[in-house]
Amino acid sequence: MFNTTNDTNGLRVALVTGGSGGIGRAVVKKLSDAGFAVAVQYAGNKAKADTLVAEIVEKGGKAVSVGGDVADEQAMKAIFDTVEKEFGGIDVVVNTAGIMLLSPIAEINLDDLDKMHRTNIRGTFVVSKQAARRVRKGGAIINFSTSITRTQFPNYGAYAASKAAVESMTLILARELRGKDITVNAVAPGPTATPLFLDGKDEKLIDHLAKSVPLERLGQPEDIAETVAFLAGPARWVNGQIIFTNGGMA
């Protein structure tokens, strides 16, 4: 259990966007197991978020679900207000919320491009803006990129562009928060067995992607959650970095 905190009751608090499914769900469970009170943000699936919260509370943890669009500044301000009122403050913000729509650049529907940019870029900006103002001393802001920014797979151009923007804002925010004792990093997963990744892929392609990793398997959401937990807790000397959690994929 992590024990670095500045509040009076010893409780560390994490807000996880996109926390009801895939990697976000694994992150929520990992941070809860590490002793955090966790706010599970959802955009549309309240039932999944509430079910996860109920599981955590049943095990003796502290959790709350909070709904709202990450790209809506007023909605996110209200979510931060709710979490602070519920738990007394916020120590860690994890931005797992994101969407991925694939297409060759020459054929992409620009509406799909705009959807990804709204969630992946604007959403990260909106959440980071609140986090930069409200995360407590000794805290962490953890954004999400993708290893595709380095592997350059075809059809991922628009998605990779949105995540490259996330990387840039992460590195700059880390430097803008000089003197506040708040770390800012991004996690860049490789191929990970989540519904977002598996959707639309046949078994042959999935096997090919798994074999492209030296460890010859897909990552699991829990693999990514381990890296997030490290950055959220003991990794106080890791700042302004993109952590490629991808099993060694080149």
Side-chain angles (χ1 to χ4, degrees):
M1 181 181 293
F2 309 136
N3 57 13
T4 55
T5 184
N6 295 310
D7 64 338
T8 56
N9 61 10
L11 183 68
R12 296 201 81 207
V13 180
L15 166 62
V16 182
T17 71
S20 63
I23 289 172
R25 177 182 174 86
V27 167
V28 166
K29 294 176 74 173
K30 182 68 177 179
L31 293 181
S32 177
D33 289 345
F36 282 83
V38 185
V40 182
Q41 181 273 341
Y42 63 90
N45 199 327
K46 184 178 188 299
K48 283 181 66 176
D50 287 346
T51 297
L52 178 56
V53 166
E55 290 176 9
I56 291 170
V57 171
E58 186 176 357
K59 291 172 59 179
K62 296 180 181 294
V64 63
S65 64
V66 285
D69 178 0
V70 292
D72 183 324
E73 185 171 22
Q74 294 307 310
M76 289 311 300
K77 182 178 182 298
I79 282 176
F80 273 76
D81 289 343
T82 297
V83 178
E84 289 178 339
K85 182 178 179 180
E86 181 74 20
F87 296 125
I90 301 175
D91 301 285
V92 173
V93 173
V94 186
N95 280 307
T96 74
I99 60 174
M100 180 173 66
L101 303 170
L102 304 183
S103 170
I105 291 172
E107 300 172 13
I108 190 167
N109 182 320
L110 293 180
D111 288 341
D112 287 346
L113 176 70
D114 291 343
K115 287 177 185 176
M116 280 190 288
H117 280 206
R118 187 176 191 279
T119 298
N120 298 354
I121 299 178
R122 179 185 168 93
T124 302
F125 260 106
V126 168
V127 174
S128 294
K129 179 179 179 180
Q130 292 297 320
R133 295 176 172 185
R134 300 167 79 158
V135 166
R136 293 186 287 206
K137 182 177 181 180
I141 300 169
I142 303 164
N143 292 323
F144 262 73
S145 181
T146 172
S147 290
I148 299 297
T149 59
R150 299 298 185 271
T151 57
Q152 293 101 32
F153 289 162
N155 300 323
Y156 284 81
Y159 177 68
S162 72
K163 291 301 189 177
V166 170
E167 291 185 10
S168 293
M169 75 175 84
T170 297
L171 302 183
I172 291 170
L173 182 58
R175 286 146 182 84
E176 290 180 346
L177 295 183
R178 174 184 291 274
K180 295 191 176 182
D181 193 22
I182 297 170
T183 62
V184 188
N185 296 286
V187 177
T192 306
T194 66
L196 179 69
F197 173 79
L198 296 173
D199 183 45
K201 296 181 175 68
D202 60 28
E203 195 65 33
K204 182 178 179 181
L205 178 57
I206 292 170
D207 185 62
H208 170 73
L209 291 169
K211 291 294 175 57
S212 70
V213 178
L215 296 179
E216 295 191 336
R217 68 172 177 87
L218 295 179
Q220 296 298 316
E222 292 75 18
D223 295 320
I224 313 305
E226 289 280 357
T227 300
V228 173
F230 174 64
L231 294 173
R236 299 309 303 164
W237 197 236
V238 180
N239 190 29
Q241 304 298 317
I242 313 300
I243 310 297
F244 288 86
T245 309
N246 59 20
M249 174 181 279

